[in-house]
Amino acid sequence: MQKFCSWYKPILTDSGGYQIFSLADFNKITAEGFHFKSHLDGSKHFFTPEKVIGIQRDLGADIMMVLDECAPYPCDYDYARKAQVLTFEWAKKSQDAYNSSSNPHGFQQALFAIVQGSIYEDVRRESAEQLIELDFAGYAIGGLSVGEPKEIMHNITALCTNILPKEKPRYLMGVGKPEDLVHSVDKGIDMFDCIIPTRNGRNGTVYAMDGPMAIKNARYRDDLTPLDEHCQCYTCRNFTRAYLRHLYIAKEILVLRLLSYHNLFFYM
Amino acid sequence: MQKFCSWYKPILTDSGGYQIFSLADFNKITAEGFHFKSHLDGSKHFFTPEKVIGIQRDLGADIMMVLDECAPYPCDYDYARKAQVLTFEWAKKSQDAYNSSSNPHGFQQALFAIVQGSIYEDVRRESAEQLIELDFAGYAIGGLSVGEPKEIMHNITALCTNILPKEKPRYLMGVGKPEDLVHSVDKGIDMFDCIIPTRNGRNGTVYAMDGPMAIKNARYRDDLTPLDEHCQCYTCRNFTRAYLRHLYIAKEILVLRLLSYHNLFFYM
């Protein structure tokens, strides 16, 4: 995959567990895996924990994720418990599949587990402790940033990082806004993934030290300052808010790249 | 404008004459200029040769174009003659406005005339000869590449370049395909403008030494060679046809840039 994309840096692939949740209308879940109907072409697929490991092996991911079930928010205690138990069963199957296979491309591939349990502290704790027993290369916290209040997200994150081993990567999935990153790093998180800097960039939201701004706002029409006066990114070194707003209003696709680039630079 | 776009190279602005033709449904032409109704917001404007010079002065164009009337194809002799006479009258007015104004930004700005006359040789000849009398900094050939057969385009181009002074830039407007560029350079053309490399790139057409290719074609699905094996552009050095086709089919906006970049590189 590195060669296909011409991306010679580490690649992490997710298992598809999140899509069980986000595309729930198209899916049916069983103890063995989940039935997935493509929203693109209607084709049907059945994904098992083992099959998902095989696919990630073939893709050549540097970090692979176990198949998990991400409970929606809100969800009742019983559902959260059921999803956590299934996620643990799948984690064991994933690990077995991982241990009994090898990378067809020859380099080492790591497998990370995913802690689930919705907003219920004892379920989260049990999920984390059981997965630690299996000794994965890294641990993710899934099932957050799905609509729950910020405070709950922060508390559950702290609860998990307190249990998960400090010497291994702790990865908060699908987070988040700049302030969430700062907060989570403070709680011990090492890794994130999120579409916010690029998707919101494409939609005209710019992140800066003074908080987010909507570039289409009329107040920037004649504003000849950069997006963020302290930023040294390509966009800020070369273009003004007025020009970027002009591109955005005129639907020039250049602006999608310039705003995404700035946001990524700001996040880094 | 250089500063606004962060583009510190020469900029050429057109007069809007082509839009009288291409957006004809929205416009009405008189001896003094043309009434333009915006297809974007419905606002109404009246453009005169003098006003168009003023706008281009203000924009800070390095090369400005006179307002002209571009006759459609096909068009009868009388219409072509009328449009050529009007274009000449406007060229005189443009030059007067140019000579009696200066660049508010302080640097030198050149004004080019535009030869019209549709496919009629004597009208083209008269247009070119009259404009040469006025002694412009450069001469463009307008009103070609508007639907006429290639052979006529090539003949009219040769007719004009034979009359226009060799020591001044001769600019063929709105052309063209790679083979048209080669042909026109052979006939003495020094400058072109055209959306083909970028617009067609965005639509998945790739130019290469073996002729154009449609990247979406199924034959490229597993093709691990670059777009053009002799090309040293960023796209060809890093990506395969299979990957670019994948991006195109998946509607990833990255491909718009990669194909446009390759096409521009190929054109250069």
Side-chain angles (χ1 to χ4, degrees):
Chain A
M1 187 158 56
Q2 275 87 348
K3 200 174 165 191
F4 191 54
C5 311
S6 200
W7 173 260
Y8 297 101
K9 295 183 179 178
I11 293 180
L12 183 151
T13 51
D14 199 2
S15 59
Y18 186 77
Q19 280 64 38
I20 303 178
F21 154 75
S22 69
L23 303 171
D25 294 347
F26 299 95
N27 301 314
K28 217 192 108 193
I29 199 160
T30 74
E32 284 70 41
F34 75 101
H35 295 273
F36 176 79
K37 190 176 161 199
S38 170
H39 62 295
L40 297 174
D41 63 8
S43 62
K44 289 176 178 175
H45 307 271
F46 183 60
F47 290 108
T48 64
E50 297 84 356
K51 206 184 275 186
V52 163
I53 293 295
I55 292 169
Q56 295 181 89
R57 284 272 194 216
D58 288 346
L59 286 172
D62 298 277
I63 299 175
M64 310 189 292
M65 303 303 298
V66 299
L67 190 64
D68 62 330
E69 185 187 0
C70 174
Y73 179 84
C75 97
D76 63 37
Y77 184 89
D78 287 347
Y79 189 101
R81 171 61 76 184
K82 241 183 75 187
Q84 176 260 316
V85 170
L86 184 66
T87 294
F88 179 62
E89 293 304 318
W90 285 0
K92 284 190 287 191
K93 290 182 179 180
S94 300
Q95 195 173 48
D96 289 344
Y98 173 79
N99 287 333
S100 62
S101 62
S102 63
N103 179 1
H105 310 283
F107 55 85
Q108 211 189 332
Q109 295 177 292
L111 180 63
F112 281 22
I114 304 176
V115 176
Q116 290 289 354
S118 187
I119 62 171
Y120 303 105
E121 300 197 359
D122 63 319
V123 187
R124 284 281 177 181
R125 189 173 295 114
E126 192 169 319
S127 177
E129 285 168 353
Q130 287 180 336
L131 292 169
I132 293 169
E133 288 290 311
L134 296 181
D135 193 24
F136 283 88
Y139 297 92
I141 303 167
L144 291 180
S145 199
V146 292
E148 76 285 0
K150 287 274 180 196
E151 200 191 327
I152 293 182
M153 179 176 103
H154 292 157
N155 289 344
I156 296 290
T157 301
L159 179 147
C160 293
T161 52
N162 279 336
I163 303 171
L164 295 170
K166 287 187 174 33
E167 70 280 9
K168 291 188 174 176
R170 289 169 294 181
Y171 162 26
L172 183 54
M173 302 186 84
V175 173
K177 298 246 166 98
E179 60 272 23
D180 297 326
L181 268 63
V182 173
H183 185 278
S184 306
V185 167
D186 182 55
K187 299 299 176 201
I189 293 295
D190 306 296
M191 293 170 57
F192 301 92
D193 76 279
C194 195
I195 48 71
I196 284 181
T198 50
R199 179 187 291 170
N200 290 12
R202 294 196 301 275
N203 292 332
T205 298
V206 172
Y207 292 95
M209 286 311 284
D210 300 333
M213 56 197 269
I215 195 65
K216 71 177 171 195
N217 199 307
R219 87 177 68 164
Y220 304 123
R221 207 187 63 177
D222 301 310
D223 187 338
L224 297 179
T225 65
L227 294 175
D228 182 338
E229 62 173 331
H230 302 297
C231 181
Q232 286 299 308
C233 84
Y234 174 80
T235 303
C236 287
R237 281 186 287 110
N238 288 285
F239 305 102
T240 62
R241 295 173 178 185
Y243 181 63
L244 294 165
R245 178 179 181 275
H246 158 73
L247 293 178
Y248 187 84
I249 298 288
K251 300 193 197 306
E252 282 288 345
I253 59 175
L254 171 61
V255 77
L256 308 176
R257 183 154 41 115
L258 293 177
L259 298 186
S260 295
Y261 185 84
H262 165 80
N263 282 349
L264 285 172
F265 194 96
F266 178 76
Y267 264 67
M268 304 289 188
Chain B
M1 187 159 55
Q2 275 86 347
K3 199 173 167 191
F4 191 54
C5 311
S6 200
W7 173 260
Y8 297 100
K9 295 183 180 178
I11 293 180
L12 183 151
T13 51
D14 199 3
S15 59
Y18 186 77
Q19 281 64 38
I20 303 179
F21 154 74
S22 69
L23 302 171
D25 294 348
F26 299 95
N27 301 314
K28 217 192 108 192
I29 199 160
T30 73
E32 283 69 42
F34 75 102
H35 295 273
F36 175 79
K37 190 176 161 199
S38 170
H39 62 294
L40 297 174
D41 63 8
S43 61
K44 288 176 180 175
H45 307 272
F46 182 60
F47 290 109
T48 64
E50 296 83 357
K51 207 183 274 185
V52 163
I53 293 296
I55 292 169
Q56 295 181 89
R57 284 272 195 217
D58 287 346
L59 286 172
D62 298 277
I63 299 175
M64 310 189 292
M65 304 303 298
V66 299
L67 189 64
D68 63 330
E69 185 187 0
C70 174
Y73 178 85
C75 98
D76 63 37
Y77 185 89
D78 288 348
Y79 188 101
R81 171 62 75 184
K82 241 182 74 187
Q84 176 261 316
V85 170
L86 184 66
T87 294
F88 178 63
E89 293 304 318
W90 285 0
K92 284 190 287 191
K93 290 182 180 179
S94 300
Q95 194 173 48
D96 288 345
Y98 173 78
N99 287 332
S100 62
S101 62
S102 63
N103 179 1
H105 310 284
F107 55 85
Q108 211 189 331
Q109 295 177 292
L111 179 63
F112 282 21
I114 304 177
V115 176
Q116 290 289 354
S118 186
I119 62 170
Y120 303 104
E121 300 196 359
D122 63 318
V123 187
R124 284 281 177 182
R125 188 173 296 115
E126 191 169 319
S127 177
E129 285 168 353
Q130 287 180 337
L131 292 169
I132 292 169
E133 288 290 311
L134 296 180
D135 193 25
F136 282 88
Y139 296 92
I141 303 167
L144 290 180
S145 200
V146 292
E148 76 286 0
K150 287 274 180 196
E151 201 191 325
I152 292 181
M153 179 176 102
H154 292 157
N155 289 344
I156 296 290
T157 300
L159 179 147
C160 293
T161 51
N162 279 335
I163 303 171
L164 295 170
K166 287 187 174 31
E167 70 280 9
K168 291 188 174 175
R170 290 170 294 180
Y171 161 27
L172 183 54
M173 301 186 84
V175 174
K177 298 246 166 98
E179 60 271 23
D180 297 327
L181 268 63
V182 173
H183 185 279
S184 307
V185 167
D186 182 55
K187 299 299 176 201
I189 293 294
D190 307 296
M191 293 170 57
F192 300 93
D193 75 278
C194 195
I195 48 71
I196 284 181
T198 49
R199 180 187 291 169
N200 290 11
R202 293 197 301 274
N203 293 331
T205 298
V206 172
Y207 292 95
M209 286 311 284
D210 301 332
M213 55 197 271
I215 195 65
K216 71 177 171 194
N217 198 306
R219 85 177 70 163
Y220 304 123
R221 208 188 61 178
D222 301 309
D223 187 338
L224 298 179
T225 65
L227 293 175
D228 182 338
E229 61 173 332
H230 303 296
C231 181
Q232 287 299 309
C233 84
Y234 174 80
T235 303
C236 287
R237 282 187 286 110
N238 288 285
F239 305 102
T240 63
R241 294 173 179 186
Y243 181 63
L244 294 165
R245 178 179 181 276
H246 158 73
L247 293 178
Y248 188 84
I249 299 288
K251 300 192 199 304
E252 282 289 345
I253 58 176
L254 172 61
V255 77
L256 308 176
R257 184 155 39 115
L258 293 177
L259 299 186
S260 295
Y261 185 83
H262 165 80
N263 282 349
L264 285 172
F265 194 95
F266 177 76
Y267 264 67
M268 304 289 188

